[in-house]
Every structure is written in structure tokens, then in C-alpha cells.
Amino acid sequence: MSAPNFHLPHFLPYLLNQAAEAASHEFQAYYRTRYGMLRAEWRVLFHLGCYGEMSAKRVCELASLHKTKVSRAVAALERKRFLAREETEADRRIETLSLTPHGQQTFEDLSAAAARFEAELVQGLPPEEVKLLRSVLLKMSGLDQKRI
Amino acid sequence: MSAPNFHLPHFLPYLLNQAAEAASHEFQAYYRTRYGMLRAEWRVLFHLGCYGEMSAKRVCELASLHKTKVSRAVAALERKRFLAREETEADRRIETLSLTPHGQQTFEDLSAAAARFEAELVQGLPPEEVKLLRSVLLKMSGLDQKRI
DNA sequence: TATTGTTATACTCTATAACTATA
DNA sequence: TATAGTTATAGAGTATAACAATA
């Protein structure tokens, strides 16, 4: 058995990780320094901002986040008054999560910033390539399987 | 200001992170359970396996890894006899890193496994799309800027 | 003084088990 | 018994400062 001739920068898991890290860096700095948020926190905030109120369980499903991560993120967002919980009458195990006006405002700022960072990211790439990129990543991530 | 109409599963940093995580999961389990390696360790191993001996500094540049990560990964790989260091005569600050036969063999097994996982990953995708995916990710990651 | 590499430390992220309260 | 959510804990990943040895 001779040299396997493996070319590392063609290996998709590696390439995806490096691209993800590079692509997320600026946005990460933004939500961290501006709002003191962690990754799981902005993800939960965005789910509520994009899709409206829902249970923690639903956030887990949509975001592919484990319930322990969501639990802590929800607690942190509540502490910072971004989010409110409301007891459900029908099933008291479930709490309906929704953004406060402050949370909504923060979501609007963050999503605008996200849109700017993304525009910067795809700047110079043909729209057709970006469209294809999204569709391939959607399949690979499994995010295309989650119903909204 | 009304609803920002931000669609989270279209946000590339998010999409890239989810895809990267999903794509890396199987390979990660493989090198961890089989060789007890961590992420930085297989990356260093692959750089030496793919490109031959080089200094730690060169690994840092090519892999976009901070010198502290490389330093610890090299120490771990040396402890496990995957890698050997050799002092440079010209400049005694620099050590040339290379794989031992055991390290080489491990690299061959891991790179073959990597190729299998990747084949599984792109299975069902048109080769043209995969090619484009790679080229876009290469640009986004900045990996296209590193000379080999 | 600058560079290569090491050690220390703090924080974030991931994963899992054990638990409470409700159904 | 099963489900929604919480708490505890360990290990892996990231980031930075301070350091030693050499140039």
C-alpha cells in the first residue's frame, strides 16, 4: 500500500468546519460584545423571533439543540429580559416562550446585523452559486427535514 | 419598523455550522474511539501525512490552528508514538515534525475512512454540485490562500 | 528585540446522567 | 410509565497572557 493521496482541503467535513468558523466569527463577536449572548442563546432568540412563540421542546426540534442547552439558554434570556414564559393551561409541564419587546428589538438588530454579515460573505459570488450552496447545505445539515 | 422577515435556515453561518456538525460526526467518532484522538490531533496528523515533514509553525499556518493548539496536539501525538521530532541544525528553535511508521499507518487508515465518510456524504449529489460546493467553501474558509 | 514553541488559565461548547414535576 | 424541563458534571474546544529558549 503506497501513498493514499488524500487531499485535506478537499475533505468536506474539514472544509465545512473551517468555512463555518470563518463565516461565524464576525457575527459571534457582534452578539457577544453587544448583548453578552452565547451561541445557544442567539439561536433560541432567533427561533422565537422568526417563528413566534413556541415551547422549549419545539425549539429543541427545530434548532437541533439538546433540551439541556435550550433550558440554560432560556434561563439566561429570561434573566436578561429578552424572553418571557407563560404557563400552559392544558399541560402544566409546558411553558410557552415568547420574546419581550426588548427581546424583539434585539432580534431585529441582530437579524439586520446577520443580514449584513451574510451579504459581505457572499459578496463576489454569483447568486446562482449561493442558491445552490444553500440548498446543498440545507440537505447536509438535515435542516430541510424540520417542519416550520 | 415591522417584522424583519429573517429566515434562519437561510443564514449561511448557521447553515454552515449545522452542516459541518452533521458532516463531521461520524468521522469524529471514528478517530476518537479508534485512536483516542482529538480534533487538533487528527488535523496535525493529516498535515504531516498529506504534505510530509514540516515545522509546527508551518502546521499552524496551513491548518489555521493557533500555536498553543498545535503544541499540545504535537505533544499528544508524540506521546502516542504517531509522530517524531527532529532538531534543526540551522535554527535550534525549530523542530521538524514527521510521522512514525505507526503514524503513517494510522494516517492511511484514517484517510481511507475519511474518504468513505465523504463518499457517503455526497452520495446522491450531482458531481458538479459537489465540485462547486468545494470551490465555494475553499474561498469562504480562506484555505485557498494557503500555499502548499 | 523578535521568533518558536510551551505552560497556565478562563471561558465556551458538547454530552450524558440524574433529577423534579406533571401527564 | 412517559414526557417537559432542570441541574450537575466531565470532557473537548477556543482564546489569551506569560513564559523559556534561541535567533
Side-chain angles (χ1 to χ4, degrees):
Chain A
M1 177 89 35
S2 72
N5 205 26
F6 185 86
H7 190 46
L8 188 47
H10 280 205
F11 182 43
L12 278 172
Y14 179 67
L15 213 37
L16 282 163
N17 268 294
Q18 296 280 23
E21 196 183 320
S24 306
H25 201 265
E26 271 190 298
F27 182 57
Q28 186 178 12
Y30 190 88
Y31 66 71
R32 284 190 56 172
T33 65
R34 195 127 162 172
Y35 299 104
M37 279 189 203
L38 302 182
R39 176 186 293 200
E41 293 171 35
W42 82 259
R43 288 190 179 178
V44 170
L45 184 96
F46 269 55
H47 274 83
L48 298 175
C50 288
Y51 308 121
E53 58 178 40
M54 63 180 82
S55 69
K57 168 136 216 246
R58 187 76 178 121
V59 175
C60 293
E61 291 163 359
L62 292 179
S64 305
L65 282 173
H66 193 269
K67 60 183 181 173
T68 57
K69 290 183 200 169
V70 170
S71 174
R72 287 175 209 280
V74 165
L77 290 171
E78 189 185 34
R79 239 176 0 250
K80 299 173 202 161
R81 310 292 170 210
F82 290 125
L83 166 158
R85 318 190 197 216
E86 197 193 350
E87 273 209 350
T88 313
E89 306 133 38
D91 186 337
R92 282 174 39 229
R93 289 173 303 182
I94 302 171
E95 285 176 322
T96 301
L97 310 171
S98 60
L99 296 185
T100 61
H102 177 223
Q104 181 64 32
Q105 201 178 315
T106 302
F107 165 64
E108 279 163 30
D109 177 53
L110 282 179
S111 58
R116 287 195 302 275
F117 290 129
E118 183 170 89
E120 195 180 302
L121 198 65
V122 302
Q123 172 241 33
L125 290 175
E128 274 311 309
E129 293 193 13
V130 176
K131 196 179 164 190
L132 180 65
L133 175 66
R134 280 206 182 90
S135 99
V136 172
L137 293 177
L138 211 56
K139 268 184 266 179
M140 278 193 175
S141 64
L143 251 40
D144 62 334
Q145 301 295 328
K146 325 251 173 189
R147 225 168 21 86
I148 255 308
Chain B
M1 179 84 40
S2 73
N5 206 27
F6 186 86
H7 191 46
L8 188 46
H10 279 206
F11 182 43
L12 277 172
Y14 179 67
L15 214 38
L16 282 163
N17 268 296
Q18 295 281 22
E21 196 183 321
S24 306
H25 202 265
E26 270 190 295
F27 182 58
Q28 185 177 13
Y30 190 88
Y31 66 71
R32 284 191 54 172
T33 65
R34 196 130 162 172
Y35 299 103
M37 279 188 202
L38 303 183
R39 176 185 293 198
E41 294 172 33
W42 82 258
R43 288 190 180 179
V44 170
L45 183 97
F46 269 55
H47 275 83
L48 298 176
C50 288
Y51 308 121
E53 59 179 40
M54 64 180 83
S55 69
K57 167 136 217 247
R58 187 78 178 118
V59 175
C60 293
E61 291 163 0
L62 292 178
S64 306
L65 282 173
H66 193 269
K67 60 183 181 172
T68 58
K69 289 183 201 170
V70 171
S71 174
R72 287 174 209 280
V74 165
L77 290 170
E78 189 186 33
R79 239 178 359 251
K80 299 173 201 161
R81 310 291 171 212
F82 290 126
L83 165 158
R85 316 190 198 215
E86 196 193 351
E87 274 208 351
T88 313
E89 307 132 39
D91 186 337
R92 284 172 40 229
R93 290 173 303 184
I94 300 170
E95 286 175 321
T96 301
L97 310 171
S98 60
L99 296 185
T100 61
H102 177 221
Q104 182 65 32
Q105 201 177 314
T106 302
F107 166 64
E108 279 163 29
D109 176 53
L110 282 179
S111 59
R116 288 196 301 276
F117 290 130
E118 183 170 90
E120 197 180 300
L121 199 63
V122 303
Q123 170 242 34
L125 289 175
E128 275 311 309
E129 295 193 11
V130 176
K131 197 179 163 190
L132 179 65
L133 176 67
R134 281 205 181 90
S135 99
V136 172
L137 293 177
L138 210 57
K139 268 183 269 179
M140 277 192 176
S141 63
L143 250 41
D144 62 336
Q145 300 296 326
K146 326 250 174 192
R147 225 168 21 86
I148 254 307

